[in-house]
Amino acid sequence: MSEPLLDVANLRVRFPSPGGPVEVVRGVSFTLGRERLGIVGESGSGKSLTGRSILRLIRPPGIVTADRLRFSDIDLLRAGEWQMRRIRGARISMVMQDPKFSLNPVMTVGEQIGEALAVHKRLPRGQMRRRVLDMLEAVQIRDPERVFGLYPHEVSGGMGQRVMIAMMLIPEPAILIADEPTSALDVSVQGEVLKLMNDLITRKGMGLIFISHDLHLVSQFCDRILVMYRGRIVEECAAGELDRASHPYTRGLIAAVPRIDETREELPVLDRGAWEEAGA
Amino acid sequence: MTSAISLRGVSVSYGETPVVEDLSLEIAEGECFGLVGESGSGKSTLLRAITGLAPDWTGGISLFGQARGKSIDRRFSALCQMVFQDPYGSLHPRQTVDAALSEPLTIHGIAGADTKVPAMMAACGLDPRFRFRLPHQLSGGQRQRVAIARALMLSPRILLLDEPTSALDVSVQAEILNLLKRLRREQKLTYILVTHDLPVVSFLCDRLAVMRQGRVVEVADVAALRANTMTHPYSREMVARSERRV
């Protein structure tokens, strides 16, 4: 693999609580090249916080520490707030879960996508509009001229998520962090949105961090998978080799998902005590 | 076998917009019937019409031979209850588990909440120490257990399940699906399960109907789903999509 885009070593995120600080991400290390990396875990496993700490989006009182948090040649831990603002969106961007809550309700779709570009690059008005329309077309919105002038409440969930993706990709970042980008969407639209993301990512040679709770989906979509449990990476494997996963948690997760030709009378439930005591 | 739910030519609309059109189904007592389809296909709306939450319907809905009227009817509430998708939204944030589970009894003038609440909590796998907790002190899976327990307080014979596990993690989903399966066996319940997740149907249901744009395109045995022998092209497309999503 070439020089990694992102290098994370021993990342920790702590929050204070009445009973002393709680460590939510506990020593996560990984590198990301020009590939699709999936981070899978259940709620509370720390997967979203891992994604957010890369962009330094964890606010006080949360504390982020790491031995290394580098993006190409920039040390993200030492970068000033001013420098971070130039990285966010332009070099590393993030697609959130629910378009309903992440788009500005009082700005038209076109203005919002344009703004994402304007923050990082000055362009004449006409050229800007052209770029936005091209981007809307790239995310397969059929009538870009019309959608340009719509407000977020006037578009469907699937279209809203495409708008988000357009907004995140228009500054042509090197890394896209997608935090459950499709879980608010209908199964039928999910496939389209993923395919689209995949096309744009491979065409531009970007790195993708795909955060999801859906093991099955991640194994189909990504190249490499990290399984997180309670703030730690418990397993790392190539996506195609998920069925050979060895950690009991990963195996438990796989077994707990019903299959379409399901004949088991009862689904196996995770026995958390079994490996936690072993200190995994 | 007696028919538990009988729908004859049911159409439901929200204002001018028709959502379910001319739908007829017979669901037998003790059966678990899956309703699948994409968002907007009218599957949740149909459940809302059966429970009385969407009163703008025409046609005939009867439960165990009794025709349902348009207004809220206590007899039907005691017969048929609903569990909603989002356990974060369906419980009152300032009501303790005890209050949530006692309320149906109070409304229906049934005594003995003191023994019935802990018994139902035990049946739904909730630890007794949760009895006086508030929803925000519970995990998602525990909240969905509370919602199921609340639906069962009046000993209904029919449970309408609207995506009961889609807001939950897979390991928690497995627990809730096992619970639903066990409760159905123990209490001889009839289920309608609305979902877009075909494997869940395969695990829990006996038959399923595929809905599209307010109409049923196919009714099939779950065996046909498992063996992928459903006949309508739309059903086959759904199965294919569920297998291979990218």
Side-chain angles (χ1 to χ4, degrees), chain A residues 41-43 186-188 190-191 194 213-214 216-217 220-221 253 256-270 272, chain B residues 37-40 168-175 177-178 181 185 196-200 202-203 225-226 239 241-246:
Chain A
E42 299 190 279
S43 4
D186 213 322
V187 204
S188 54
Q190 257 182 25
L194 288 175
H213 67 276
D214 191 334
H216 189 56
L217 180 67
Q220 289 187 359
F221 186 64
L253 273 189
V257 183
R259 290 185 288 258
I260 200 147
D261 52 352
E262 191 55 68
T263 48
R264 288 175 290 183
E265 190 45 43
E266 200 169 308
L267 295 170
V269 178
L270 284 178
R272 293 189 159 80
Chain B
E38 50 194 78
S39 334
L168 306 174
D169 277 326
V170 286
S171 63
V172 182
Q173 162 172 289
E175 290 171 23
L177 290 176
N178 286 339
K181 203 167 200 174
R185 193 171 56 228
H196 59 258
D197 193 345
L198 293 174
V200 169
S202 178
F203 175 70
L225 170 67
R226 289 182 187 142
V239 173
R241 245 189 342 236
S242 152
E243 290 279 275
R244 175 102 211 137
R245 289 190 289 176
V246 184

Side-chain angles (χ1 to χ4, degrees), chain B residues 78-189:
Chain B
L79 197 60
C80 171
Q81 284 282 325
M82 185 147 164
V83 176
F84 297 89
Q85 175 176 6
D86 185 1
Y88 297 85
S90 66
L91 296 176
H92 192 304
R94 303 198 39 188
Q95 226 177 22
T96 60
V97 172
D98 183 70
L101 298 191
S102 317
E103 194 165 335
L105 298 177
T106 317
I107 294 169
H108 287 257
I110 300 167
D114 246 10
T115 52
K116 283 183 176 137
V117 169
M120 185 54 73
M121 286 181 67
C124 292
L126 282 163
D127 197 283
R129 68 201 156 99
F130 294 145
R131 186 167 169 190
F132 297 101
R133 293 211 184 159
L134 291 165
H136 74 264
Q137 297 168 306
L138 304 175
S139 71
Q142 287 160 352
R143 280 184 232 194
Q144 198 58 302
R145 285 174 194 270
V146 173
I148 292 168
R150 179 179 60 183
L152 290 174
M153 282 312 285
L154 296 171
S155 321
R157 296 168 70 190
I158 300 170
L159 213 51
L160 305 176
L161 305 161
D162 189 0
E163 309 244 17
T165 59
S166 59
L168 306 174
D169 277 326
V170 286
S171 63
V172 182
Q173 162 172 289
E175 290 171 23
I176 298 292
L177 290 176
N178 286 339
L179 171 70
L180 287 170
K181 203 167 200 174
R182 178 169 61 78
L183 288 170
R184 178 183 158 216
R185 193 171 56 228
E186 287 172 0
Q187 311 199 9
K188 307 208 170 16
L189 294 162

